[in-house]
Amino acid sequence: QPHQVLVASTGVIGKHFVDGLFEVGIAKAVAELGSTDGLDIVSGSNAAEAIMTTDTYAKQAAVRFYLPHADGSSNPYTIAGMVKGSGMIEPNMATLLGVFATDALLSQEAADNAFKQAIDTSLNKLTIDSDTSTNDTVFFLSTGGASSAEAVIEYQSAAYYSLVEALTTLCVELARQLAADGEGATKLVTVKVNGAVDDIQADMAARAVANSPLVKTAIAGHDANWGRIAMALGKSGADFEQNQVNIKLMGLSVCHAGLAQPFDEDEALRLFAELPEIVIEADLGTGGNGSTVIWTCDLTHGYIAINGDYRS
């Protein structure tokens, strides 16, 4: 029915839809659907591939979780998701699209809160290039296919927290896939900040590092130039004293108490070459409990090539 149709869009901003494509495309997609009484891996993979734009591979994952019964038995449930996005991504409207579904039966309140909680610690902690578009959409569907009418998961029930844990695990996995496949990216970059006054300030500091072109190009060039990380922390607006900051890069201590820490440059080069994920850790030393994790990627010539030729 029309009220059951959810529309998401991607592409060049300002370019209008051609309505006829929906009529042709939907009919074709429905005709290619597989079984509806079980896990249809082929159709799911086809859908994940169909929504790709500059992505280099389809991004999908699933998590199985179990909810216990009073008699000691348990019911298995599944949450699956597919996402797309490779550039023009930092939440606050990004070119990110995703569809998630579970065969558990959820109340509307449980679904709303669980999804927001999971997204806030995963896809909302993702940035590719700090740019945002006019569209950012994720859908979360509860089919109830594995539940009885009596097994509705209610908000803040014991089952609800198991659901949130499983959903967050799934969303983090997909956020990491998106960051690793950023336009032109060669490295997944994880920025961890702790010791901030609060989580908001930790987020400010981590995003400044993750979005810094100088930090991202240093990683692309395998340059352990920790001064660029310190610079980004300093410009972030987060409240801290520079002589209390400690920085680690790929596990190597490169800055302690705001000063240079001797480290093996050859070892840093080896780690840059071998590690698929570059981890940056910063302790702001304020004595506060604020912390966060942001996922991003390096900035290479490939990003310029993709976006320089986007319409031409």
Side-chain angles (χ1 to χ4, degrees):
Q1 297 300 312
H3 71 274
Q4 296 175 303
V5 176
L6 303 173
V7 178
S9 65
T10 188
V12 178
I13 297 171
K15 187 174 181 179
H16 287 245
F17 283 131
V18 178
D19 293 345
L21 294 178
F22 283 98
E23 297 177 14
V24 174
I26 291 172
K28 183 178 179 182
V30 170
E32 293 182 2
L33 282 174
S35 170
T36 59
D37 59 1
L39 183 62
D40 180 10
I41 296 175
V42 174
S43 289
S45 294
N46 288 344
E49 184 175 346
I51 62 174
M52 290 168 51
T53 47
T54 54
D55 305 66
T56 65
Y57 62 88
K59 298 164 182 72
Q60 55 185 324
V63 170
R64 168 106 2 128
F65 67 107
Y66 297 83
L67 298 180
H69 298 298
D71 62 3
S73 63
S74 62
N75 252 29
Y77 296 96
T78 301
I79 306 177
M82 63 178 184
V83 294
K84 85 92 196 169
S86 205
M88 207 182 215
I89 290 179
E90 183 175 36
N92 182 29
M93 302 310 287
T95 317
L96 165 65
L97 303 180
V99 180
F100 297 79
T102 180
D103 54 11
L105 187 59
L106 314 180
S107 70
Q108 187 67 58
E109 186 180 20
D112 289 345
N113 284 279
F115 202 39
K116 185 179 189 307
Q117 187 171 339
I119 292 296
D120 281 348
T121 55
S122 57
L123 295 177
N124 279 341
K125 296 293 185 178
L126 167 70
T127 177
I128 300 298
D129 48 19
S130 82
D131 277 333
T132 62
S133 183
T134 56
N135 186 58
D136 183 15
T137 304
V138 286
F139 301 128
F140 183 33
L141 311 174
S142 168
T143 69
S147 301
S148 64
E150 305 82 50
V152 179
I153 298 177
E154 299 289 350
Y155 178 50
Q156 293 187 329
S157 64
Y160 169 81
Y161 293 106
S162 295
L163 166 76
V164 169
E165 182 180 6
L167 183 56
T168 300
T169 298
L170 174 63
C171 290
V172 167
E173 165 60 25
L174 290 172
R176 288 170 56 84
Q177 287 188 33
L178 289 168
D181 193 36
E183 289 176 339
T186 64
K187 299 288 185 181
L188 167 64
V189 179
T190 298
V191 181
K192 300 179 178 180
V193 169
N194 57 46
V197 172
D198 53 35
D199 289 350
I200 294 175
Q201 295 212 23
D203 189 270
M204 291 166 57
R207 284 184 191 277
V209 173
N211 283 328
S212 167
L214 289 177
V215 171
K216 292 159 76 73
T217 51
I219 294 170
H222 295 184
D223 182 3
N225 188 346
W226 65 267
R228 294 184 178 183
I229 300 170
M231 169 279 300
L233 294 172
K235 74 172 185 177
S236 70
D239 185 15
F240 64 90
E241 297 295 331
Q242 68 181 50
N243 59 3
Q244 295 174 338
V245 173
N246 299 325
I247 299 173
K248 289 184 178 181
L249 178 60
M250 302 176 294
L252 300 174
S253 177
V254 293
C255 172
H256 181 73
L259 297 176
Q261 184 77 357
F263 66 95
D264 188 334
E265 291 273 7
D266 290 335
E267 173 67 2
L269 283 172
R270 184 186 69 80
L271 292 172
F272 269 125
E274 294 181 0
L275 295 175
E277 177 179 2
I278 305 302
V279 179
I280 298 170
E281 301 170 85
D283 185 335
L284 300 187
T286 69
N289 295 320
S291 64
T292 196
V293 178
I294 299 286
W295 292 281
T296 187
C297 59
D298 56 349
L299 178 59
T300 70
H301 294 286
Y303 180 88
I304 298 170
I306 290 169
N307 286 284
D309 297 337
Y310 185 64
R311 293 207 308 153
S312 56

